[in-house]
Amino acid sequence: MRHRIAHRGYSAVAPENTLPAFAAAVRAGATHVEFDVRTTVDGVPVVIHDRTLDRTTTGEGHVWEATAAEVLALDAGSWFSPAYAGVRVPTLIETLELLAAPGPALLLEIKPPATLDQAKAIVELVAERGLLDRTIVQSFDPDVVALAGQAAPDVRRGLLRMSFESDAVDLSRELGVVCCNPPVDDVLAAPERVAELAALGIEVMPWTANDIDRWAALADAGVAGLITDRLGELTGWAS
Ligand code: G3P
Ligand code: CA
């Protein structure tokens, strides 16, 4: 298994989708750092998973209804531990700057809703920092995957799935993605689909592989990597 992907950074030890989580992922041996991008009402891409600010910050309401100044004023660390009080929601630019040094690849998820202009702005920021070659842009929404391709025809793209039905193969081929990433349970239930995708040169990286007892079975199923919160343990296991 080649890839060790830190889900929202090394999110077992630091608040998800924050700069400390990304730095910890690098230190723990991630081959890829996964994170989620949304755009504020005033057009600033920020890194946060949920549709709302409620769970992981001291704010509330939809991310896309808040200004960047409002989002960046919030505490995004206290919910995880008092040790991380004062940690902020990072902008995409801050995240790219942290990850720009030689190191892991970037698995950048664009969360819907996203417009073509927003997808373009996100991919342009990646390109401006010379990180396009080290980045895979992924989304659960096939339309967003297509938008990313329109925004930057050369960027590698991935398709996230909530299940692993046979249509995943055709859809992945049509979209021209390099990876198709379904849930762990679905991959274990349909390992033949991993082989079908591999025959097309498309890798499978299941999420969220936090149960160590299942890592060997996933490797046997032929996955290219695991997306996990437990990056340090995966590095140890893989070695
Ligand atoms: O990259 C896989 C994973 O991040 C997809 O689920 O909800 O954590 O974004 P979610
Ligand atoms: Ca994600």
Side-chain angles (χ1 to χ4, degrees):
M1 192 184 311
R2 294 189 301 285
H3 310 316
R4 303 181 298 278
I5 305 108
H7 181 237
R8 311 180 193 171
Y10 190 173
S11 55
V13 302
E16 65 180 55
N17 282 323
T18 64
L19 297 183
F22 302 143
V26 174
R27 286 195 300 270
T31 62
H32 297 63
V33 176
E34 192 266 355
F35 54 93
D36 305 289
V37 180
R38 296 183 178 277
T39 302
T40 62
V41 70
D42 48 348
V44 177
V46 295
V47 178
I48 185 167
H49 176 271
D50 292 6
R51 294 162 66 87
T52 70
L53 298 159
D54 302 36
R55 180 179 62 89
T56 59
T57 80
T58 45
E60 57 184 25
H62 289 123
V63 176
W64 59 83
E65 291 174 336
T67 64
E70 288 167 342
V71 172
L72 300 183
L74 301 172
D75 183 326
S78 292
W79 71 274
F80 185 83
S81 161
Y84 290 98
V87 169
R88 289 187 300 101
V89 173
T91 62
L92 175 59
I93 289 176
E94 290 171 329
T95 300
L96 297 175
E97 286 173 350
L98 178 79
L99 297 174
L106 285 62
L107 185 56
L108 187 167
E109 181 179 350
I110 300 179
K111 287 292 190 191
T115 65
L116 178 57
D117 283 348
Q118 289 171 349
K120 270 185 183 156
I122 289 166
V123 175
E124 278 168 10
L125 289 175
V126 175
E128 282 166 13
R129 280 152 185 82
L131 289 169
L132 220 44
D133 290 350
R134 269 170 58 197
T135 299
I136 300 170
V137 176
Q138 65 171 358
S139 180
F140 280 103
D141 185 339
D143 291 339
V144 173
V145 175
L147 285 178
Q150 290 170 34
D154 293 338
V155 74
R156 289 177 298 159
R157 291 166 298 125
L159 177 66
L160 282 159
R161 299 298 282 167
M162 294 299 296
S163 64
F164 203 26
E165 309 299 330
S166 56
D167 65 341
V169 178
D170 289 339
L171 190 54
S172 296
R173 184 173 45 212
E174 285 163 21
L175 287 167
V177 296
V178 299
C179 59
C180 176
N181 301 334
V184 164
D185 289 348
D186 298 66
V187 170
L188 291 174
E192 70 282 1
R193 205 144 290 135
V194 178
E196 287 174 47
L197 285 159
L200 297 170
I202 299 170
E203 295 186 326
V204 172
M205 303 188 288
W207 55 272
T208 303
N210 287 339
D211 183 351
I212 295 175
D213 292 340
R214 308 178 90 182
W215 289 353
L218 288 164
D220 289 345
V223 303
L226 298 178
I227 299 174
T228 182
D229 299 341
R230 304 175 69 174
L231 199 282
E233 288 149 296
L234 179 58
T235 298
W237 181 85
S239 67

